[in-house]
Amino acid sequence: MIHAILAAEELLASRVAHTFRTYPKHIAGAIGALLLCAGGGAFAVASLGPDVADLPVQQVLEAVKPLVADDQVEALDNHDFTLFRTELTRSSDTIEALLKRLGIADPAAAAFVRGNAEARAALLNRTGRTVTAEAARDNTLQRLSARWIPDGDGAFKRLVVVRGAKGFSVRTEVDQLTAASRLASGVVRSSLFAATDEARIPDAVASQLADIFSNDVDFRSLRKGDRFAVVYETFEADGQSLRSGRVLSAEFESNGKTHQALWFQEPGKKGGYYRPNGDSLVRAFLASPVEFSRISSGFAMRMHPIMNSWRQHNGIDFAAPTGTAVRAVGDGTVEFAGRQNGYGNIIILKHRNNQQTVYAHLSRIDVKVGQSVNQSQFIGAVGSTGWATGPHLHFEFRVNGQYTNPANIAQQDGGTPITAAARPAFNRLAIATRMELSAAFSVVQASAE
């Protein structure tokens, strides 16, 4: 009997399987129709229920017992952390004053630094050295590091003071600077230097910016709303900038006009600044031997302040405080460096085509006769030696020994055109430069809005 039942089940299963293989589409359609009808029935039943909007709303208030967080609070209380802060050293600093600015309250650390000659030499009577402190939660010093550049060989020094199990220790390390580039931008509200200060752009970069566009923009009469963007080199130590380098590209919008410049150097040639179309911005001479100074007397007849008579003033006087750096306006050779009667301390540079530039009334001379100097190189400092009633720089421009108006000195072209071989590389750089400066200006626009 059992065998008969098993045989019947096998036969039925065999026929069902045969039917599925023979008529798969028909069977699938039948199953789909069945499911659809079942769904429709379900929807029909659901539609007979009450409208949700008509259901009564009831507010339920229930007291909830807060979770016990003692363990978490205790864990937070026991959690240790480190505080970081960075400052710049000042010439008037004491150890206590420096540590206080760094947020350190640690008499033991102050006593160690005060008693260690190596640490004192690195931190006291210094200006502008970057110091970083790591403090524990109780503001005690864990680690202090100071970084500075001792010379121009691409390296920097790092003084490290560390708290250990047996007290403090100190060491001095030498490491290499990391070259990088930074992009910054700003809007003029009063002056260029005020705008660059607000944008945290170094003064050396601001001065380069003024030199690059000196023939296009009158920086003594900027308008409110003039704006600029600049990409410049920076040299970093432990992720912090220690000094700035050359301006790589810049754009200045002033009085409705846009001026652009980028640095480009062909292999084996002297680099310079160019407009995006390839025109050189380099001039044989800078417009001024003193950065951001005021002209107090021009190239004209005037009443001599000492002789008390009308005389031709054969140069331009730039008013500036004593000690202000004076730079060579062009490449040349030192022809004279010393003292000459009413000129006081004077430097005479010889340039190409029998041209000379004269820098007088100096308080300091930093070059020697026969020395070669480059454009923008500092050669001395403003003073009031000789026949001078106050600190200023007397500047002359001579051609074949004849006095010539220095106001025309910056008109001489000194740049070299881009060769055909270098043009593709220059064009690629110009495109990249436009994208960088455009990104900088978008930040300025967003901040203004």
Side-chain angles (χ1 to χ4, degrees), residues 128-424:
R129 290 189 174 181
T130 304
V131 182
T132 301
E134 301 176 21
R137 57 183 298 167
D138 60 353
N139 294 326
T140 57
L141 181 67
Q142 301 300 304
R143 177 187 172 96
L144 182 143
S145 60
R147 294 168 294 277
W148 69 95
I149 302 174
D151 46 45
D153 63 354
F156 73 95
K157 283 189 175 182
R158 182 194 299 114
L159 173 90
V160 181
V161 177
V162 181
R163 180 192 291 272
K166 298 181 180 180
F168 289 98
S169 62
V170 62
R171 66 180 185 273
T172 300
E173 305 167 341
V174 178
D175 207 341
Q176 292 296 308
L177 290 167
T178 301
S181 62
R182 289 192 176 183
L183 187 151
S185 54
V187 177
V188 175
R189 308 188 193 282
S190 57
S191 67
L192 176 63
F193 261 117
T196 54
D197 284 345
E198 184 179 356
R200 297 183 179 180
I201 296 174
D203 288 349
V205 174
S207 297
Q208 291 182 64
L209 195 63
D211 284 340
I212 292 169
F213 295 116
S214 61
N215 293 305
D216 297 323
V217 178
D218 184 0
F219 288 97
R220 295 182 179 88
S221 59
L222 293 176
R223 298 187 177 187
K224 186 176 180 179
D226 288 351
R227 61 179 192 165
F228 59 88
V230 60
V231 180
Y232 62 94
E233 293 176 319
T234 181
F235 297 93
E236 301 177 350
D238 301 333
Q240 295 181 332
S241 177
L242 288 193
R243 70 176 177 87
S244 59
R246 175 185 291 120
V247 169
L248 301 176
S249 61
E251 182 171 332
F252 211 105
E253 291 186 7
S254 178
N255 197 20
K257 296 181 179 180
T258 300
H259 311 279
Q260 290 183 332
L262 64 148
W263 172 266
F264 183 74
Q265 184 174 11
E266 295 187 42
K269 293 187 177 182
K270 188 176 181 179
Y273 290 100
Y274 296 84
R275 292 189 173 90
N277 64 0
D279 291 343
S280 175
L281 286 170
V282 178
R283 294 292 181 264
F285 297 100
L286 299 176
S288 171
V290 183
E291 298 172 348
F292 292 100
S293 59
R294 176 178 58 85
I295 294 178
S296 57
S297 183
F299 186 82
M301 293 292 294
R302 68 166 186 176
M303 177 65 70
H304 196 281
I306 294 180
M307 299 299 181
N308 198 29
S309 61
W310 283 94
R311 294 191 176 191
Q312 171 66 34
H313 188 231
N314 294 318
I316 291 179
D317 289 347
F318 294 90
T322 298
T324 302
V326 174
R327 57 188 180 174
V329 296
D331 298 342
T333 304
V334 179
E335 190 171 46
F336 182 87
R339 193 173 184 89
Q340 280 188 5
N341 301 324
Y343 285 112
N345 293 330
I346 182 175
I347 297 173
I348 301 176
L349 299 183
K350 183 178 181 180
H351 308 279
R352 64 180 186 180
N353 300 327
N354 294 321
Q355 299 176 112
Q356 295 172 314
T357 53
V358 179
Y359 313 78
H361 305 315
L362 302 173
S363 62
R364 188 181 71 247
I365 295 176
D366 297 331
V367 292
K368 298 179 180 180
V369 174
Q371 179 180 340
S372 295
V373 297
N374 297 319
Q375 188 180 74
S376 297
Q377 179 178 333
F378 293 127
I379 58 176
V382 170
S384 55
T385 57
W387 295 346
T389 57
H392 70 281
L393 175 72
H394 176 77
F395 177 66
E396 294 179 0
F397 180 47
R398 304 171 183 173
V399 180
N400 293 319
Q402 301 298 314
Y403 297 107
T404 305
N405 189 351
N408 302 324
I409 192 173
Q411 304 304 317
Q412 299 183 35
D413 187 13
T416 56
I418 297 173
T419 63
R423 176 62 70 168

